[in-house]
Amino acid sequence: MSDDDAPVLAAQGLEVRYGDARAVFGVDLEVAQGQVLAVLGPNGAGKTSLAGAITGRVRPAAGRVHISGRDVTGRSASQISRLGVAYVPEERAIFPHLSVNDNLRVLLRYAVPRAERAVTLDKAFELFPVLAERRRQQAGTLSGGEQQMLSLARVLAAPPLLLVADEMSLGLAPRLVDLVFESLARARDEGVTILLIEQYVERALALAGDAVILRRGRVSWRGPASEAHGELAAGYLGAEV
Ligand code: ATP
């Protein structure tokens, strides 16, 4: 059952295990419609595992996930994406042998009703002029940053209900990092709910309303993003040991 008043994302007691190792445990989260929740924490804290459990990439060992009040625990990634949950960067979102233009057309075919596809394609090129310049180029020959733009363009041209953004800026040149954050801010302003996993802590906190800090698979702090700075003092960026 879906429920209009329910938060877009709610997770209770989520746990992820790899064999005997617990990567995430006892995590509770809620993100209301149109809100941005930053998920911060050192390398290995369990951020990607948490995102995987929410988006159906990893089967949770315990706990529940609800999307707009609907229990989706244990559903596959494609079933969850059909409810409007987008995960980026999505490894398989790009078809390397197709042109940029055809990539967008194929991807939008699943996300947008036929009558709106042309307008949506124009919007993608307007958001990312670099892709418009390269619309006939094979996607596999784009730079890593440009490929990232392509997967982002698809998502932002047809805004999802929930965007799970997992280290989108990782490895990008500064100009593209700016573009990623501008695009995320635009998505937020258009009402997209975002779960934001980011290494650029300050920029993530500037975008988010609330934040949680994960350490060793557990939530060690949660609160307004504006109050997270104090919690993120020395040692935060190191790896978990
Ligand atoms: P990073 O910021 O470095 O990406 P993270 O916070 O996203 O880290 P995860 O990638 O979720 O953390 O990893 C959490 C723990 O789970 C780590 O100890 C990691 O080695 C382990 N882990 C992650 N994926 C697997 C897997 N497929 N098999 C076994 N262990 C895994």
Side-chain angles (χ1 to χ4, degrees):
M1 242 191 46
S2 90
D3 171 355
D4 288 346
D5 296 328
V8 167
L9 170 64
Q12 298 97 22
L14 259 199
E15 180 170 322
V16 176
R17 286 175 183 267
Y18 302 106
D20 290 339
R22 280 203 296 189
V24 171
F25 41 110
V27 171
D28 298 330
L29 291 179
E30 255 190 43
V31 195
Q33 159 66 39
Q35 297 297 305
V36 180
L37 177 70
V39 178
L40 307 172
N43 293 126
K47 304 180 297 295
T48 294
S49 300
L50 176 63
I54 288 167
T55 57
R57 279 157 183 76
V58 178
R59 202 182 170 86
R64 313 301 310 171
V65 178
H66 290 85
I67 302 293
S68 298
R70 185 192 301 244
D71 190 342
V72 300
T73 316
R75 292 208 197 164
S76 68
S78 61
Q79 286 174 322
I80 292 178
S81 79
R82 265 181 252 131
L83 296 174
V85 177
Y87 178 79
V88 280
E90 160 69 90
E91 324 72 44
R92 289 160 302 176
I94 286 174
F95 303 100
H97 301 297
L98 296 184
S99 68
V100 167
N101 200 56
D102 287 347
N103 260 275
L104 284 169
R105 287 169 48 145
V106 169
L107 295 165
L108 293 176
R109 194 157 68 205
Y110 298 106
V112 182
R114 181 185 292 270
E116 292 166 28
R117 281 183 210 146
V119 174
T120 308
L121 194 63
D122 288 346
K123 186 174 170 201
F125 287 134
E126 188 191 316
L127 284 170
F128 298 99
V130 65
L131 297 178
E133 285 162 26
R134 296 178 179 274
R135 67 169 77 203
R136 280 178 234 297
Q137 186 171 329
Q138 268 198 348
T141 65
L142 294 172
S143 74
E146 288 163 353
Q147 290 189 17
Q148 191 87 296
M149 291 303 111
L150 183 54
S151 55
L152 190 57
R154 170 198 54 126
V155 168
L156 297 182
L161 173 71
L162 172 67
L163 173 59
V164 178
D166 188 356
E167 305 271 19
M168 289 192 60
S169 60
L170 194 67
L172 296 186
R175 186 177 58 81
L176 292 179
V177 174
D178 289 345
L179 190 51
V180 164
F181 277 95
E182 283 162 24
S183 306
L184 289 171
R186 192 188 293 220
R188 174 198 61 188
D189 295 344
E190 286 182 7
V192 176
T193 305
I194 304 176
L195 188 76
L196 180 63
I197 299 172
E198 254 306 325
Q199 51 169 347
Y200 288 99
V201 169
E202 292 303 325
R203 300 182 76 156
L205 292 176
L207 202 71
D210 289 311
V212 300
I213 301 176
L214 280 190
R215 287 188 201 271
R216 300 172 197 268
R218 287 184 184 278
V219 174
S220 68
W221 184 88
R222 71 174 76 226
S226 57
E227 292 174 16
H229 298 81
E231 295 298 318
L232 292 165
Y236 159 65
L237 286 172
E240 294 271 61
V241 286

